[in-house]
Amino acid sequence: MVTFREMKVQEIVEDETLTTEEKIARLREIESEARGLQRAASESPMGDDDGWQDELRQVRIALDKLGAKEPRKGAASL
Protein backbone atom coordinates (compact mmCIF):
# COMPACT_ATOMS: atom_id res chain seq x y z
CA MET A 1 0.00 0.00 0.00
CA VAL A 2 1.40 3.39 -1.03
CA THR A 3 1.01 6.19 1.51
CA PHE A 4 0.12 9.79 0.76
CA ARG A 5 3.64 10.92 1.63
CA GLU A 6 5.18 8.32 -0.70
CA MET A 7 2.97 9.64 -3.50
CA LYS A 8 4.08 13.19 -2.68
CA VAL A 9 7.75 12.16 -2.81
CA GLN A 10 7.20 10.53 -6.21
CA GLU A 11 5.35 13.63 -7.45
CA ILE A 12 8.28 15.84 -6.49
CA VAL A 13 10.86 13.55 -8.12
CA GLU A 14 8.86 13.38 -11.37
CA ASP A 15 7.95 17.09 -11.54
CA GLU A 16 9.74 18.37 -14.64
CA THR A 17 9.02 22.01 -13.76
CA LEU A 18 11.28 21.84 -10.70
CA THR A 19 15.05 22.05 -10.76
CA THR A 20 17.05 19.38 -8.97
CA GLU A 21 17.83 21.88 -6.21
CA GLU A 22 14.12 22.66 -5.77
CA LYS A 23 13.29 18.96 -5.61
CA ILE A 24 15.98 18.40 -2.98
CA ALA A 25 14.73 21.36 -0.93
CA ARG A 26 11.15 20.06 -0.97
CA LEU A 27 12.25 16.55 -0.08
CA ARG A 28 14.32 17.93 2.80
CA GLU A 29 11.18 19.66 4.11
CA ILE A 30 9.30 16.35 4.06
CA GLU A 31 12.26 14.61 5.68
CA SER A 32 12.42 17.21 8.46
CA GLU A 33 8.69 16.96 9.12
CA ALA A 34 8.80 13.16 9.18
CA ARG A 35 11.74 13.20 11.61
CA GLY A 36 9.86 15.56 13.91
CA LEU A 37 6.80 13.35 13.84
CA GLN A 38 8.97 10.30 14.44
CA ARG A 39 10.52 11.96 17.50
CA ALA A 40 7.10 12.88 18.83
CA ALA A 41 5.83 9.35 18.28
CA SER A 42 8.84 7.87 20.07
CA GLU A 43 7.96 9.88 23.17
CA SER A 44 4.40 8.57 23.31
CA PRO A 45 3.43 5.40 25.17
CA MET A 46 2.41 3.74 21.89
CA GLY A 47 4.29 0.85 20.25
CA ASP A 48 7.82 0.94 18.88
CA ASP A 49 6.78 1.03 15.20
CA ASP A 50 5.84 4.67 14.69
CA GLY A 51 5.36 4.18 10.93
CA TRP A 52 7.73 7.00 9.98
CA GLN A 53 10.79 4.84 9.29
CA ASP A 54 9.40 3.75 5.91
CA GLU A 55 8.52 7.35 5.07
CA LEU A 56 12.04 8.49 5.86
CA ARG A 57 13.52 5.67 3.81
CA GLN A 58 11.47 6.72 0.75
CA VAL A 59 12.64 10.31 1.09
CA ARG A 60 16.27 9.20 1.54
CA ILE A 61 16.08 7.01 -1.58
CA ALA A 62 14.66 9.92 -3.60
CA LEU A 63 17.35 12.28 -2.30
CA ASP A 64 20.06 9.75 -3.18
CA LYS A 65 18.68 9.42 -6.73
CA LEU A 66 18.85 13.19 -7.09
CA GLY A 67 22.46 13.19 -5.91
CA ALA A 68 21.78 15.09 -2.69
CA LYS A 69 24.57 15.08 -0.16
CA GLU A 70 23.92 14.30 3.49
CA PRO A 71 23.48 17.54 5.42
CA ARG A 72 26.36 18.43 7.70
CA LYS A 73 25.77 17.36 11.24
CA GLY A 74 26.51 19.96 13.86
CA ALA A 75 26.11 20.30 17.57
CA ALA A 76 22.54 20.12 18.79
CA SER A 77 21.12 23.50 19.67
CA LEU A 78 18.25 24.59 21.85
Side-chain angles (χ1 to χ4, degrees), residues 23-72:
K23 291 176 184 183
I24 290 170
R26 289 187 183 187
L27 290 170
R28 293 255 189 246
E29 289 173 14
I30 292 174
E31 181 181 40
S32 177
E33 180 182 333
R35 286 193 191 282
L37 291 169
Q38 185 181 43
R39 277 191 300 275
S42 71
E43 294 173 0
S44 76
M46 301 296 283
D48 290 337
D49 183 12
D50 55 32
W52 292 104
Q53 194 60 41
D54 283 341
E55 305 289 344
L56 287 168
R57 184 173 45 249
Q58 293 301 318
V59 172
R60 189 71 250 155
I61 289 169
L63 286 167
D64 289 344
K65 285 182 181 178
L66 292 171
K69 303 290 182 215
E70 281 287 326
R72 289 182 55 187

Side-chain angles (χ1 to χ4, degrees), residues 3-10 30 33-34 37 52 55:
T3 67
F4 170 76
R5 196 167 311 279
E6 287 172 330
M7 289 189 311
K8 184 67 175 168
V9 168
Q10 194 62 32
I30 292 174
E33 180 182 333
L37 291 169
W52 292 104
E55 305 289 344

Side-chain angles (χ1 to χ4, degrees), residues 8-24:
K8 184 67 175 168
V9 168
Q10 194 62 32
E11 266 181 40
I12 292 169
V13 171
E14 294 176 355
D15 189 338
E16 295 180 6
T17 65
L18 298 174
T19 66
T20 300
E21 291 79 21
E22 290 170 324
K23 291 176 184 183
I24 290 170

